[in-house]
Amino acid sequence: MSAPILLVEDEPAIADTVVYALATDGFAPHWVASGEAALAAAAATPFALAIVDIGLPDINGLELFRRLHAEHPALPVIFLTARAGEIDRVVGLELGADDYVAKPFSPRELVARVRTVLRRAQRPPAGAAPAATAAAFAVDDERKQIRFHGTPLELSRIEYRLLKVLVERPGRVFSRDELMERAWDDPAASFDRTVDAHVKTLRAKLRAVVAGEDPIVTHRGMGYSLREER
Ligand code: CA
């Protein structure tokens, strides 16, 4: 899915080239020409990033940034300025903007900055805990093998498929029916409770690797999921 990018720019000629460059590069640009329109658009759509011209007809771009940031603190922002020195680069970045591009600029360079800022925004903050329990698992589809904390698990075919389904979607609750559909060759020939039996042996095998660890969560009456951790 292409990332939706909000472009706030009152000069149509500049907006056109930026919209074209973003769309060519696979983004989904949404252009507005004023600060008020930007606030309304940002309230309606969860944008991946905003590009904000400093010189806007209604609200100053810096003020717009403050208001956007108050409503959407995680939204990365790149400022556009009419000329170097319109604002001090340091001021823009101290406000919390993610980057700053002075006009005239090459649309390709701006798109490259967009990519860089998005990459940075998607990375978990330094020092954060491992993203999910899933990180403890390594699925080797070619060898039909799963490692848990580096240790290869001795799994039956059904256990392998069950665990793979759970590991690939941490947090997603799978019903017993869904798990059977994905892990059994002939679900119709089995009983519902065999899912429980396989999960039980799976849990024992995981505990044998790391005592006390139970990354599989039981949701009573609903099914199972892989524990999500941050
Ligand atoms: Ca302008």
Side-chain angles (χ1 to χ4, degrees):
M1 222 185 68
S2 45
I5 309 288
L6 177 63
L7 171 64
V8 195
E9 167 62 68
D10 59 311
E11 289 164 69
I14 294 174
D16 277 353
T17 62
V18 173
V19 163
Y20 180 78
L22 285 170
T24 303
D25 230 58
F27 294 102
H30 179 87
W31 171 44
V32 294
S34 73
E36 289 298 343
L39 290 166
T45 305
F47 289 102
L49 181 144
I51 300 169
V52 175
D53 182 28
I54 300 279
L56 291 170
D58 52 352
I59 315 173
N60 174 289
L62 297 177
E63 176 58 21
L64 172 61
F65 172 78
R66 281 191 198 95
R67 289 170 63 177
L68 273 176
H69 195 62
E71 293 293 318
H72 316 280
L75 178 68
V77 172
I78 298 177
F79 278 127
L80 296 181
T81 72
R83 55 187 180 281
E86 184 173 41
I87 65 159
D88 191 312
R89 178 185 170 87
V90 177
V91 171
L93 297 182
E94 268 181 3
L95 276 175
D98 294 271
D99 208 343
Y100 167 104
V101 176
K103 296 175 184 175
F105 56 86
S106 107
R108 289 173 62 101
E109 194 211 330
L110 175 59
V111 171
R113 302 275 192 104
V114 166
R115 284 205 178 286
T116 305
V117 169
L118 283 178
R119 234 186 343 260
R120 208 191 299 148
Q122 277 154 8
R123 211 183 301 144
T133 314
F137 292 92
V139 178
D140 184 340
D141 217 7
E142 283 183 13
R143 292 180 179 74
K144 301 293 176 220
Q145 194 186 65
I146 300 178
R147 288 168 178 271
F148 182 49
H149 290 291
T151 304
L153 298 166
E154 296 279 344
L155 301 175
S156 71
R157 194 160 51 139
I158 286 179
E159 287 165 355
Y160 168 80
R161 291 187 192 167
L162 273 179
L163 187 55
K164 181 170 182 284
V165 168
L166 295 173
V167 165
E168 286 177 343
R169 294 285 301 280
R172 156 82 148 84
V173 179
F174 290 91
S175 70
R176 289 173 177 79
D177 282 348
E178 288 177 309
L179 289 171
M180 287 188 86
E181 209 52 57
R182 289 164 167 80
W184 268 256
D185 291 319
D186 185 9
S190 306
F191 295 104
D192 183 41
R193 51 200 283 265
T194 60
V195 171
D196 297 342
H198 285 284
V199 169
K200 195 177 170 192
T201 57
L202 207 41
R203 279 178 163 148
K205 289 177 181 182
L206 297 175
R207 271 198 307 272
V209 175
V210 182
E213 247 193 76
D214 186 8
I216 299 174
V217 183
T218 306
H219 300 264
R220 286 179 71 90
M222 292 187 288
Y224 297 99
S225 72
L226 190 82
R227 180 155 32 96
E228 257 184 319
E229 265 173 19
R230 280 203 65 81

